[in-house]
Amino acid sequence: MVNGPRPPPAPPAAASHTGTLTGSDEVLDAAFRRVGVLRVDSIAEVFDMADVLSKQPRPRGPRLAIVTNAGGPGVLAADALLEHRGELAELSAESTAALNALLPEAWSHANPVDVLGDADARRFGRTIEVLAEDPGVDGLLAILTPQATTDPTATAHEVRRHAKILGKPLLAVWMGGESIEEGTKILTEAGVPTYLNPDTAAHVFTLMWKSSYNLQGLYETPRTPVDDATGGFAVAREQAEAVVAEARREGRTILTEAESKRLLAFYEIPTVPTTVVQTADEAAALAESIGFPVAVKLNSTTVTHKSDVGGVRLNLFDADAVRGAFRAIEKSVAEHVGPEAFQGVGVQPMIQPEGCEILLGSSLDPEFGPVILFGAGGRHVEVVADRALALPPLNTTLARRMMEQTRIYSALKGIRGQRPVDLAALERLLVRFSNLVVEQRWIKEIDVNPLFASPDRMIVLDARVIVHGPEVQEDELPRTAIRPYPSQYASPWTSTRGEHVMIRPIRPEDEPLMVAFHATLSERSVSFRYFHAMKYSTRVAHERLTRICFNDYDRETALVADFRDPETGERKILGVGRLSKVRGGSEAEFALLVSDQFQGRGLGTELLRRVVQVGRDEHLARIVGDVLPENLEMLRVCEKLGFRLTRQLDEPVVRAELAL
């Protein structure tokens, strides 16, 4: 995807840091990442990427090894690589030892690997061969400059032998005008993209890695974020809706800090407990019951940035200090915005700063709807401007990818001997925050700043929530650009033998369960489902299961029967019903598959009944499917649910059709 004119930044939203930091062009970048599109800045880069991706494998990582016969071009390539967020591969001890034996003593002993100006073709080729075997190298760049003993053509012949290194792209820079034309031709014919400048080649490699990184994120199996089998928090959703509804009934668009924290707590996002009081003596008494030191903050339904009006007092160590803080806040607020903005104060235990300060937020984009922001927090977030955006809903993989876009991610992993933050727990927190954003559609903006993340805990110190005003009707509420998990299709069911099963839409996290499910299928069941025999290894290949488990829920929905063994707690998938819309029409095809061990208990009928209901809810006109004539059980299920069965004399299958 080549850039057009970049739009101006969206006007800042004064209500929150999140609104100020979110720009429409950054949201567009986030949308491209979410669908695996690579964005480039020029037509030249479009052609460069089309050429290199058609000739060389995508890199598995960002680590590039540079081989050069001149130090200067190698440094230029390294600088360009780092500027565009690539990495210089660190040579393994084995590679270093092999290069010590191969190269003159004066070689660079580091990456870029300078094979020196007197390098012949064999030295160049053997060096590439050594680096290609290094597991810490994801790609190679060979740079040749004209030297007195250089033979560009012979070196090209040597390099071309490594043109197809499994999983590791090989790029080349042949410098020297007419003298290198024959060598360039040899490399080009061998499928090795060749460039005139080292910085261009290094940038192309980083674009290759960025493209690969985006695509990997689409189909990397996430860890299960929550234990709830439906993928949502039904109780949390109702409790949060009540808080928002109460504020809207009162004609308010700004939730107090205490209300905002309650909202987060419903989604299991830990917050500092805050209690609102109306007098200085109440504040002092509460502080004594909590234990000193405490923090006292303005409680207001109209002021969002409390610090701007002198509404925050920290590190209060006795009751007199608390009373003084109460009066000082009341006076400051009256002077800045008027006495009506003061509605008491919130008293909370003082949390000593530890770990990293994180900003977490959500705001609305006019084109893409809700957008989630993650980055460095604190008082100077607009100045630091270290953030990444993503479109909800998130899973743990997408949450990690968003974190990796920021500079603070390096600190979260642990620096200077410090222990790392529990990144898996932070991923889960982001997923829960995503659930809040998706489910609470009356919320316009959320600003969580700071969220303290340390190796031992995570806790929100401050939060603010803005909701839509009375001018917005429910049917005008913005929707997510990506359809969220359709939890409305999840509900329990009991088999004819009394087993309790949760039937729900499939999720990417179900891939391991699907692998186990396929192990329970007989050859007969497989042949009936796919109309031919299919090896188990083929059925459970990651590349195939990603297409099955990663549904966009608009064009395809699969329902799985999720069973948890009451004795062992082990979860199993017992059956799958799938509905796939036919492109460009109001028709969809169904498919059904039930574990052999669970057939004959009514599950197939229930799955198909629910698939039909999904079709009705999605306003389809017709559901169709092909069934082998020998599959008598499936034909009976179809008849029971009202499908019309037909078979043409020249057709090997029975057509099942249901008008909705």
Side-chain angles (χ1 to χ4, degrees):
M1 174 70 188
V2 66
N3 283 334
R6 299 211 179 223
S16 72
H17 296 299
T18 302
T20 303
L21 290 172
T22 305
S24 58
D25 194 58
E26 290 177 285
V27 177
L28 189 61
D29 270 337
F32 285 150
R33 281 195 302 272
R34 183 61 182 264
V35 296
V37 171
L38 174 67
R39 190 179 190 185
V40 296
D41 293 318
S42 68
I43 291 295
E45 289 179 354
V46 171
F47 287 108
D48 282 340
M49 295 311 298
D51 179 56
V52 73
L53 291 176
S54 68
K55 294 176 178 177
Q56 289 291 316
R58 296 177 186 270
R60 296 172 181 171
R63 302 166 299 183
L64 181 67
I66 301 169
V67 181
T68 178
N69 66 341
V75 171
L76 288 174
D79 287 346
L81 177 74
L82 298 176
E83 179 185 352
H84 294 288
R85 303 190 71 172
E87 297 178 15
L88 279 170
E90 186 174 338
L91 305 183
S92 68
E94 293 78 9
S95 294
T96 302
L99 293 175
N100 283 335
L102 170 67
L103 301 177
E105 187 177 347
W107 78 280
S108 59
H109 295 276
N111 185 21
V113 178
D114 188 349
V115 296
L116 305 180
D118 64 346
D120 58 12
R122 183 180 177 279
R123 189 190 299 174
F124 234 106
R126 286 282 296 118
T127 301
I128 292 174
E129 186 176 333
V130 169
L131 295 175
E133 296 295 326
D134 192 323
V137 171
D138 300 312
L140 297 106
L141 172 60
I143 304 174
L144 179 139
T145 63
Q147 308 277 348
T149 59
T150 301
D151 187 337
T153 303
T155 304
H157 276 295
E158 187 70 25
V159 171
R160 70 177 293 174
R161 296 193 304 107
H162 309 284
K164 301 295 181 182
I165 304 168
L166 183 62
K168 297 184 180 182
L170 173 63
L171 312 181
V173 175
W174 249 231
M175 307 171 71
E178 293 182 0
S179 65
I180 53 88
E181 288 182 356
E182 183 62 26
T184 300
K185 181 180 178 182
I186 291 168
L187 292 170
T188 301
E189 290 176 350
V192 179
T194 309
Y195 304 90
L196 297 176
N197 303 307
D199 48 350
T200 301
H203 186 203
V204 166
F205 174 79
T206 63
L207 289 174
M208 291 180 74
W209 161 237
K210 185 177 180 181
S211 174
S212 182
Y213 175 84
N214 289 348
L215 291 173
Q216 287 175 15
L218 290 179
Y219 298 118
E220 181 180 321
T221 304
R223 288 177 290 275
T224 304
V226 290
D227 292 331
D228 182 23
T230 66
F233 294 84
V235 175
R237 182 166 57 247
E238 294 172 1
Q239 293 173 322
E241 286 171 354
V243 172
V244 173
E246 178 64 24
R248 297 190 74 252
R249 274 195 299 270
E250 296 175 1
R252 293 190 284 124
T253 59
I254 299 176
L255 271 59
T256 65
E257 179 183 346
E259 290 172 327
S260 300
K261 287 180 176 177
R262 282 173 56 205
L263 208 63
L264 296 174
F266 290 144
Y267 282 83
E268 300 181 12
I269 298 171
T271 64
V272 176
T274 301
T275 303
V276 176
V277 295
Q278 300 300 323
T279 69
D281 287 339
E282 288 176 344
L286 179 61
E288 287 181 332
S289 67
I290 291 174
F292 296 101
V294 298
V296 174
K297 299 181 181 179
L298 168 67
N299 181 67
S300 176
T301 58
T302 57
V303 175
T304 58
H305 295 297
K306 295 181 286 292
S307 297
D308 293 347
V309 297
V312 178
R313 296 292 188 275
L314 306 177
N315 287 312
L316 306 176
F317 285 91
D318 56 48
D320 288 340
V322 172
R323 291 188 184 93
F326 183 100
R327 299 185 185 105
I329 291 173
E330 184 176 23
K331 180 181 178 181
S332 179
V333 171
E335 292 174 349
H336 281 87
V337 291
E340 68 282 354
F342 179 83
Q343 286 122 28
V345 300
V347 181
Q348 62 188 51
M350 189 69 203
I351 303 297
Q352 297 303 321
E354 54 178 327
C356 300
E357 287 186 291
I358 292 173
L359 169 66
L360 185 59
S362 172
S363 65
L364 295 178
D365 180 85
E367 300 296 332
F368 293 98
V371 179
I372 292 176
L373 179 145
F374 173 91
R379 297 183 62 182
H380 306 295
V381 291
E382 287 93 349
V383 177
V384 176
D386 175 30
R387 76 271 186 170
L389 305 181
L391 300 181
L394 299 180
N395 57 37
T396 52
T397 295
L398 296 172
R400 177 70 66 101
R401 290 304 176 95
M402 182 167 63
M403 291 191 286
E404 288 174 350
Q405 316 263 340
T406 62
R407 295 189 298 276
I408 198 173
Y409 181 68
S410 297
L412 295 173
K413 291 190 295 182
I415 55 175
R416 297 177 182 174
Q418 295 179 346
R419 290 187 297 142
V421 167
D422 186 345
L423 294 175
L426 185 55
E427 289 171 11
R428 294 192 294 272
L429 186 149
L430 288 175
V431 171
R432 293 194 293 269
F433 183 79
S434 167
N435 290 340
L436 167 60
V437 170
V438 168
E439 294 176 355
Q440 302 303 323
R441 296 179 57 217
W442 284 107
I443 291 179
K444 186 177 181 180
E445 291 183 13
I446 307 177
D447 205 35
V448 175
N449 183 35
L451 161 65
F452 270 115
S454 71
D456 300 315
R457 67 171 175 172
M458 294 173 198
I459 191 164
V460 171
L461 268 62
D462 200 358
R464 60 179 60 88
V465 175
I466 313 297
V467 300
H468 289 284
E471 74 282 358
V472 178
Q473 303 301 311
E474 187 167 3
D475 59 356
E476 297 174 327
L477 291 174
R479 298 183 179 275
T480 56
I482 297 170
R483 185 169 177 176
Y485 184 82
S487 57
Q488 69 271 23
Y489 296 137
S491 62
W493 172 78
T494 303
S495 76
T496 56
R497 298 190 185 180
E499 294 100 344
H500 299 291
V501 177
M502 174 64 71
I503 297 180
R504 59 170 176 79
I506 201 167
R507 299 182 304 203
E509 295 90 339
D510 289 325
E511 183 180 343
L513 294 178
M514 287 296 294
V515 171
F517 167 69
H518 275 275
T520 69
L521 302 176
S522 65
E523 292 183 6
R524 178 177 183 270
S525 294
V526 172
S527 296
F528 279 173
R529 168 62 179 87
Y530 301 109
F531 296 179
H532 59 81
M534 187 185 296
K535 291 181 179 179
Y536 173 74
S537 59
T538 301
R539 286 183 277 128
V540 300
H542 173 70
E543 294 74 15
R544 180 178 179 276
L545 287 184
T546 54
R547 298 195 302 272
I548 291 172
C549 297
F550 287 70
N551 289 180
D552 68 4
Y553 305 121
D554 262 331
R555 291 176 292 181
E556 184 174 40
T557 299
L559 301 179
V560 296
D562 186 346
F563 173 71
R564 187 185 295 272
D565 190 310
E567 295 182 0
T568 65
E570 180 186 5
R571 287 176 53 205
K572 304 176 184 178
I573 285 178
L574 304 177
V576 183
R578 184 172 297 274
L579 190 67
S580 304
K581 294 180 183 177
V582 177
R583 188 180 297 274
S586 59
E587 182 176 287
E589 296 180 345
F590 77 88
L592 199 63
L593 188 57
V594 176
S595 170
D596 284 65
Q597 302 167 5
F598 214 79
Q599 291 176 10
R601 306 185 195 185
L603 179 57
T605 301
E606 181 64 17
L607 278 172
L608 186 55
R609 186 188 68 77
R610 295 201 185 195
V611 163
V612 169
Q613 187 58 49
V614 170
R616 290 194 175 101
D617 292 347
E618 299 294 321
H619 307 294
L620 296 176
R622 183 181 301 103
I623 294 178
V624 299
D626 292 330
V627 184
L628 289 174
E630 310 93 280
N631 193 352
L632 300 179
E633 297 91 337
M634 187 71 244
L635 293 174
R636 281 197 294 269
V637 169
C638 290
E639 284 183 319
K640 185 189 303 184
L641 295 178
F643 281 80
R644 184 169 64 92
L645 305 179
T646 58
R647 183 183 182 186
Q648 303 296 327
L649 292 177
D650 57 343
E651 291 291 336
V653 296
V654 177
R655 185 74 163 176
E657 181 176 331
L658 179 67
L660 301 179

